[in-house]
Amino acid sequence: MATFFCLCKFATFSNISSRTFSSFLPSKTSIYHSLSSSSATFSFTWDDAFRISQPQTATQHRSTYLQAFFHKVQLCNRAPEKQSEFLPFIIEDHVVGFIHNGFVEHLRGFGNVFIFPKDKYNGGLYGDFVSLHPMLKTAEERTSAVGYVVERLGEEHIPGIRNELYPVISSFGAQIFFSLERAAAPYFGIKVYGTQMNGYVELDGQKHLWIGKRSGTKSTYPGMLDELVAGGLPHGINCQQNLAKECEEEAGIPRSISVNAIPVGAVSYKDIDGYRYKRDVLFCYDLKLPKDFIPKNKDGEVDSFKLIPVTQVAEIIRKTQFFKANCALVIIDFLFRHGYFSLYLQYFFSCMLM
C-alpha cells in the first residue's frame, strides 16, 4: 500500500514519465487509442455509471486493481518522448511555451509577428526557437498581434476558439508578457492554470461527492463527468475570485458557502497530443457542503448532478473513462488525501469475500 501511495502522489504532482509506470500500465497503444477526442460526445447515462460503480465479485489481484488508477494518471501525461519535436517559445529571455515544428510552419507567414532565430540564444543553449518580433514591445501590442494570427489561422488550425484570453507567463504570479486565446494555449504550449473543487457531503459517516455530467452541447468533452466545480483561470482574476465565480455559475453555490472552500494543493501534468502540448496546473479545493444543498447549474455547461458515495466514484474512475481525464486526476488526489485507498481496499476486498 505504501508503494502505491508514494507513486500516486509523485505521479500526480511531478509529471512522472511513462517508463516509471511500465510495470503497472497497459501498453502505450491501448492508452492512446482509449483516449477519445475532446469533441467526441460520450453517450452513457447515470444508470450506466451507477451500474458500473458496484464492486466486482470476481477475485482480482491487487496489482490489477491498482493499475487502473495509474492508467488515469498516465492519460494526462502522454508522449513525453515527443517533447524534442517542439521549439521553445521565448519572450524577454523567458521560456513561456513550446511550439511543435509542424505548427511553426503555420506561423512563418506572419513575419511581422513571429521571428525564428537560429543558434543565437545564449550560445546555442536552446538552439532554434520562436519569439515575437522586437517591434512588439508592450503586452497590448503582443496580444493584438498574436490575436490577429490566431484569427487568421481560424478553426482549421485552432479549433474551438472561445474569445477568452489566458495570460502568457513563465511561472505563476510572474510578469504577464501578453494574453492569448484560450483555444490556442496548447498550440503555443503555454502554462495554463485552473481552479477545481471537490464538493462533498458526509452522510452516516460516509463521504459522498457531488458529480456533474457535462452538457452534450459543450465544445469540449461533451457528456463526460466532472467534479462539482472546475474552470480555467483567465486573465485579470485571482484563484479565489475565479472559484467563487465558477461555484455560482456551475453549481449555484452562493458566496456565503463557497468562501469556506479550503485550498489543498495543486495538481500538474504535461500532455502531448499531435501539435498540442498541454502544461496545466490545477489549484485544488475541497468544500464540505450542507447535507440539504442541491447544486443547480446556471451557465448551461452542466446537464445534471448526482450525489455519489466516494467508494462508487472511485469504481467509476477505475473501470471507465466517463470522467474528463484531468478531473479524474483531481479526484484521485482527493481520494488519496482523505485516506480513501487504505479504507477502500479493505471495503473492496471484503465485498469480494461475501
Side-chain angles (χ1 to χ4, degrees):
M1 286 302 300
T3 301
F4 174 65
F5 286 168
C6 292
L7 283 174
C8 184
K9 197 69 171 179
F10 184 65
T12 305
F13 285 90
S14 304
N15 307 304
I16 194 166
S17 74
S18 58
R19 290 187 294 275
T20 307
F21 287 122
S22 59
S23 61
F24 295 95
L25 292 170
S27 69
K28 284 187 179 181
T29 301
S30 67
I31 291 174
Y32 289 125
H33 285 293
S34 64
L35 188 65
S36 301
S37 166
S38 65
S39 60
T41 301
F42 288 75
S43 55
F44 63 87
T45 67
W46 282 114
D47 287 341
D48 295 328
F50 280 111
R51 182 175 63 254
I52 289 169
S53 72
Q54 301 305 313
Q56 294 175 340
T57 56
T59 303
Q60 185 174 25
H61 192 273
R62 288 192 181 195
S63 63
T64 305
Y65 167 79
L66 296 177
Q67 77 172 2
F69 292 104
F70 287 106
H71 182 207
K72 299 307 185 292
V73 173
Q74 185 63 13
L75 286 177
C76 288
N77 293 276
R78 296 173 296 165
E81 71 280 1
K82 294 188 177 183
Q83 186 167 340
S84 61
E85 298 176 9
F86 292 76
L87 296 181
F89 181 25
I90 298 173
I91 302 177
E92 295 182 13
D93 296 341
H94 292 276
V95 178
V96 297
F98 295 89
I99 307 176
H100 192 275
N101 284 309
F103 194 79
V104 166
E105 295 307 308
H106 300 317
L107 306 180
R108 292 191 184 276
F110 301 93
N112 59 339
V113 179
F114 294 99
I115 59 174
F116 310 91
K118 290 182 177 295
D119 300 316
K120 294 180 180 178
Y121 191 83
N122 286 347
L125 176 62
Y126 290 99
D128 295 355
F129 66 99
V130 181
S131 190
L132 294 180
H133 196 285
M135 292 296 292
L136 301 172
K137 298 185 180 298
T138 68
E140 291 76 15
E141 291 172 342
R142 295 164 178 166
T143 298
S144 177
V146 177
Y148 169 78
V149 174
V150 171
E151 183 180 351
R152 288 294 301 273
L153 292 176
E155 292 284 336
E156 179 183 357
H157 299 296
I158 304 175
I161 293 175
R162 306 185 185 193
N163 297 313
E164 181 180 345
L165 297 177
Y166 275 1
V168 176
I169 52 182
S170 58
S171 60
F172 188 71
Q175 173 189 354
I176 299 175
F177 295 108
F178 70 98
S179 297
L180 178 68
E181 158 64 37
R182 176 175 180 173
Y187 294 94
F188 288 84
I190 69 167
K191 274 195 173 183
V192 169
Y193 298 86
T195 52
Q196 300 210 14
M197 189 189 80
N198 286 296
Y200 69 97
V201 174
E202 289 192 359
L203 299 174
D204 299 323
Q206 183 181 8
K207 290 185 175 69
H208 293 59
L209 281 168
W210 277 108
I211 302 298
K213 193 172 192 298
R214 296 164 71 90
S215 168
T217 62
K218 277 189 69 67
S219 60
T220 56
Y221 307 100
M224 296 191 75
L225 301 183
D226 273 357
E227 313 100 332
L228 181 58
V229 172
L233 188 60
H235 176 59
I237 186 171
N238 65 36
C239 289
Q240 289 73 24
Q241 293 168 336
N242 191 54
L243 182 68
K245 177 179 74 71
E246 295 290 346
C247 278
E248 199 160 342
E249 293 175 355
E250 292 195 351
I253 302 174
R255 292 174 185 255
S256 59
I257 294 179
S258 66
V259 70
N260 297 314
I262 299 173
V264 292
V267 170
S268 66
Y269 55 90
K270 296 179 180 179
D271 183 66
I272 293 175
D273 179 19
Y275 289 176
R276 296 161 50 87
Y277 189 177
K278 289 178 66 65
R279 301 192 303 138
D280 294 354
V281 179
L282 308 177
F283 297 111
C284 302
Y285 293 78
D286 287 353
L287 177 61
K288 185 176 181 180
L289 291 159
K291 294 179 181 179
D292 59 353
F293 174 79
I294 306 295
K296 295 179 181 178
N297 180 248
K298 294 183 178 182
D299 60 9
E301 295 189 356
V302 183
D303 176 75
S304 54
F305 297 96
K306 294 291 182 182
L307 185 63
I308 307 177
V310 168
T311 50
Q312 291 179 234
V313 172
E315 282 294 280
I316 297 170
I317 290 175
R318 188 177 71 85
K319 296 176 183 175
T320 76
Q321 289 183 43
F322 288 178
F323 276 92
K324 184 169 172 280
N326 63 352
C327 294
L329 206 60
V330 172
I331 294 177
I332 289 172
D333 176 67
F334 175 91
L335 302 175
F336 179 89
R337 289 184 292 96
H338 287 260
Y340 158 83
F341 287 108
S342 59
L343 295 174
Y344 181 67
L345 277 178
Q346 297 176 20
Y347 162 79
F348 178 81
F349 288 110
S350 68
C351 289
M352 306 248 287
L353 296 174
M354 290 182 178

